[in-house]
Amino acid sequence: MPVIAPMPAARPARIPGQRDGAEETVAAGTTVDHLTETYRAHYRSLLGLAALLLDDTASCEDVVQEAFIRVHSARKRVRDPEKTLAYLRQTVVNLSRSALRRRILGLKLLSKPMPDMASAEEGAYDQLERDSLIKAMKGLQRRQREVLVLRYFADMTEAQVAETLGISLGSVKAYGSRGIAALRIAMEART
């Protein structure tokens, strides 16, 4: 329960319809006692309202507490005490919207993680390996080079390579295996 200091009543007025000459006074606006009773009676329902709008309990509690603080500060502007609960509900909704806006803005402003990129050193090694592979490919026989390029770089099946080059499936397999063996030897010699 929040700590609410009692405030002196402003502009006391006689309540019409009193009997026995007893005079009760009421402040213009919502009194601290009425706000305290509203807190006791409706805190959980306001917390539920905030929970529907927000996703975590701590934020909900903060929003409801802030709503009561704001209503307490502006209690003299709420002329009809019956409208205190409505004013509190609207304040909870507005504060929840503000909290969500701040979250969305915070997410937009978070720095985006850098994509996984190879370091300059790795890029240099990759380039050297590509250059070595290209030189080794140039050293192969023409048919071996054609079969390997179509099979592994153009991603064709052995049957498609055979049809494209106009040679038998057995020749494709032979040129392919001899070409890979020659590449392996050439690449090992360069390292």
Side-chain angles (χ1 to χ4, degrees), residues 3 16-17 32 52 70 83:
V3 178
V32 173
L52 292 172
R70 288 188 183 192
K83 294 184 180 178

Side-chain angles (χ1 to χ4, degrees), residues 13-27:
R14 186 181 181 299
I15 298 176
Q18 285 184 341
R19 296 182 185 186
D20 300 331
E23 289 192 19
E24 247 179 73
T25 58
V26 68

Side-chain angles (χ1 to χ4, degrees), residues 26-31 34 38 75 78-86:
V26 68
T30 302
T31 63
H34 179 70
T38 305
R75 68 186 177 280
V78 182
R79 298 276 179 213
D80 186 4
E82 299 297 318
K83 294 184 180 178
T84 303
L85 183 58

Side-chain angles (χ1 to χ4, degrees), residues 99-156:
L100 289 173
R101 252 185 254 118
R102 280 191 303 276
R103 265 190 219 160
I104 290 169
L105 183 62
L107 290 174
K108 285 181 182 178
L109 295 177
L110 280 177
S111 62
K112 293 186 171 67
M114 294 296 293
D116 291 338
M117 294 176 52
S119 68
E121 185 178 80
E122 289 176 29
Y125 284 131
D126 289 344
Q127 184 63 41
L128 288 173
E129 285 182 11
R130 275 193 298 275
D131 290 345
S132 297
L133 179 63
I134 290 170
K135 286 179 186 173
M137 288 288 287
K138 287 181 181 178
L140 295 177
Q141 294 177 1
R142 180 179 58 89
R143 281 286 187 198
Q144 289 175 347
R145 185 172 52 248
E146 289 171 350
V147 167
L148 291 179
V149 167
L150 291 175
R151 179 76 176 100
Y152 297 105
F153 293 102
D155 201 28
M156 291 182 169

